Amino acid sequence: MTQKELHSTGSPVQAAMFPDGPDSVLRNPDVSETQWHRELVRAALYPWLFLTELAGILLLVLAGVLGDGVAAVLALSAGILTVSGSVLAGWHRASRIESDHRHGPARPCRLDRVRGEFFLRSRDFSGLGTASAAARTLFTGVDELYRSPARDWIDPALCTEVHRVAWQALCCLDRTRGARGLAAELAADPDSAVGDLAAAARHAVTAIDDALEEVVSHIHGCLALTRAWEAKLRHTDLTARAEHTLAALPGPDQLRRLSEAAEALPQAVFAYITAARDVTDAGPFPWEQPTPSRPRRRRDLASRLSALFARTPLGPPRAGDGTP
């Protein structure tokens, strides 16, 4: 199997800033790239930015009309600065349209004006009980799949289908908000007939939650397979790197030749050093001094004899030994 060459479009799950803090957003798979580019252009051509850029263009035209002179130079400089500043500001605004949604309440962003039109937030599903954990799992699962190295070995249509299924499951979960609230209100009513309605509403919500759990388990299965392939890829990469690294190490023959070459060096240096000693009459080296082994033996013998005579008692002189 050969690795497929894919055009990486990035993960549909992105981190974004909102007035209530950072959050993750999942892009709507039904929004085409053309629509996203259109929104980027609209963000770059914000009304006051467009007017500022138009004013800069007028200054450039005025500089061309004036021809030479100080006024023309000033108009040209002002026009270039105005147009450049407007273009940079528009580019900055367009580049942050998906990641920064900290807008004032009076002028909301087009992307988050209607929930689910362009994206869904992870925090949109908080407060839904156990379904909140399932929603977070879908967000992280889609993000992991798109960022996985195993994605290069999967048909891009499969990744898109996982994204679409997760999106549809989240949309179904979002539509249960009213039913959950209604079930809570009906459960608080003591009327038996209303109690039957509350049970029916809870049953419908439970059926949707069970279906959502099933979707989550299937996506977990996809992730388990990609993780297993990632482990295979890591193992293959480590094996190849280990083989390459070990192959670059010096072999036994090279080490033996190196040791033999180093073994001959002290003899060669010794020959030059002793020759220099003889030429300069510098005298013997410390290791060439005579060993004091014989004088030490004599001193040891003398000490033993003196100790022996010191332990031997002196008796009375014998007759005939010449002592007076």
Side-chain angles (χ1 to χ4, degrees), residues 32-53:
S32 63
E33 290 297 323
T34 303
Q35 291 176 277
W36 280 108
H37 293 159
R38 188 182 304 121
E39 295 300 324
L40 294 178
V41 172
R42 287 179 177 175
L45 297 179
Y46 194 66
W48 70 268
L49 289 176
F50 177 74
L51 293 176
T52 304
E53 187 172 355

Side-chain angles (χ1 to χ4, degrees), residues 26 138 142 161-171 215 219:
L26 177 65
L138 289 176
V142 173
E161 187 62 23
V162 171
H163 177 197
R164 186 176 303 279
V165 169
W167 176 268
Q168 293 174 355
L170 290 172
C171 290
V215 171
I219 292 182

